[in-house]
Amino acid sequence: VPFHHFLRRINVDGTAHLLKACGGNKTLRRFFFSSSVAVYSGQYEPEEWPLTESSALRTDGGSDLTDYGLSKVAGENLVRFYARKFGFGYSMVRISLVYGVGNKDTNQLIEEALSNPRFGTGPAASFPRQYIHVDDAAEGIVRATVYDSAESGVFNVAGSDPMSNADIARVIRRFSGTASEADLIPDRTRGWRRYVMPYDVMRAKRI
């Protein structure tokens, strides 16, 4: 099955079926939808940051990311449509990159940083990524689901201390004992770079 067909079947058709099934439930108070910051993909210039929940939704990044982002945009629109139609509330979170123990992507990231000497180099190496730990992502989901202040809200759920691949590679090499002399020199740009964030998370912090 092509990847975009799989995404449509799960993220779009599956969401629509669930919303229709919930529509007949008079006791439903709030529908929760897990979206993604992929709905903003393609907005890679600092002049466009920070992206808030009211920023334009654009999905013109790489092919897989575009398909994934489009499926999430469609899912969000379905939630709004059926919430109005049936009169129930909703909350949605746009989650950033999640990491944690046992996560396949986290393990691959570490393995690549250890085995590939070019990891953390190149034009995209300094791009800030707002990784969020799985425990913090889970807390954001719970708050958006049960807190009254999250009713009919959309929230960016992302880390508040951005790190680039260059930062990650430097840290991993230090801990693995393979650091170069350059890795051991304090990076004075971290002082200001940590405040340059693609995604604004202040609304989520106020839940």
Side-chain angles (χ1 to χ4, degrees):
V1 178
F3 185 60
H4 64 280
H5 288 170
F6 174 79
L7 287 173
R8 178 173 181 81
R9 188 172 64 188
I10 301 300
N11 289 349
V12 182
D13 296 342
T15 300
H17 292 325
L18 186 57
L19 285 162
K20 290 175 183 177
C22 291
N25 188 338
K26 302 302 181 182
T27 62
L28 177 65
R29 177 185 169 189
R30 184 184 307 172
F31 185 95
F32 171 81
F33 182 72
S34 179
S35 189
S36 167
V37 295
V39 299
Y40 305 118
S41 64
Q43 302 182 71
Y44 301 134
E45 299 300 325
E47 293 78 12
E48 301 175 294
W49 304 341
L51 297 167
T52 70
E53 291 82 355
S54 58
S55 294
L57 304 186
R58 285 174 22 203
T59 54
D60 50 358
S63 57
D64 286 349
L65 186 61
T66 297
D67 290 337
Y68 181 67
L70 284 172
S71 73
K72 288 300 186 179
V73 171
E76 289 189 13
N77 289 333
L78 285 168
V79 171
R80 293 187 182 93
F81 173 79
Y82 282 103
R84 288 193 300 268
K85 180 177 181 178
F86 294 118
F88 54 76
Y90 66 85
S91 61
M92 297 185 276
V93 295
R94 294 170 179 164
I95 302 176
S96 183
L97 297 164
V98 179
Y99 73 94
V101 176
N103 177 266
K104 180 180 67 174
D105 294 332
T106 302
N107 293 339
Q108 289 178 345
L109 184 71
I110 295 172
E111 289 172 4
E112 184 174 2
L114 289 172
S115 61
N116 181 5
R118 293 196 56 78
F119 180 82
T121 65
S126 60
F127 186 85
R129 291 169 167 81
Q130 286 173 253
Y131 290 96
I132 184 169
H133 191 271
V134 61
D135 290 346
D136 295 324
E139 181 178 352
I141 289 172
V142 171
R143 286 173 175 262
T145 303
V146 303
Y147 280 36
D148 291 339
S149 56
E151 179 73 28
S152 298
V154 181
F155 307 92
N156 290 335
V157 176
S160 55
D161 188 8
M163 292 191 72
S164 67
N165 279 353
D167 296 324
I168 294 171
R170 188 179 299 111
V171 170
I172 291 176
R173 286 193 295 263
R174 285 178 179 175
F175 278 98
S176 66
T178 60
S180 65
E181 289 186 14
D183 291 330
L184 300 176
I185 299 174
D187 183 359
R188 301 187 185 281
T189 67
R190 279 286 292 159
W192 60 265
R193 283 194 297 111
R194 66 190 313 166
Y195 298 106
V196 181
M197 294 186 287
Y199 312 113
D200 187 294
V201 296
M202 291 309 297
R203 180 182 290 183
K205 287 185 174 182
R206 289 194 293 266
I207 300 178

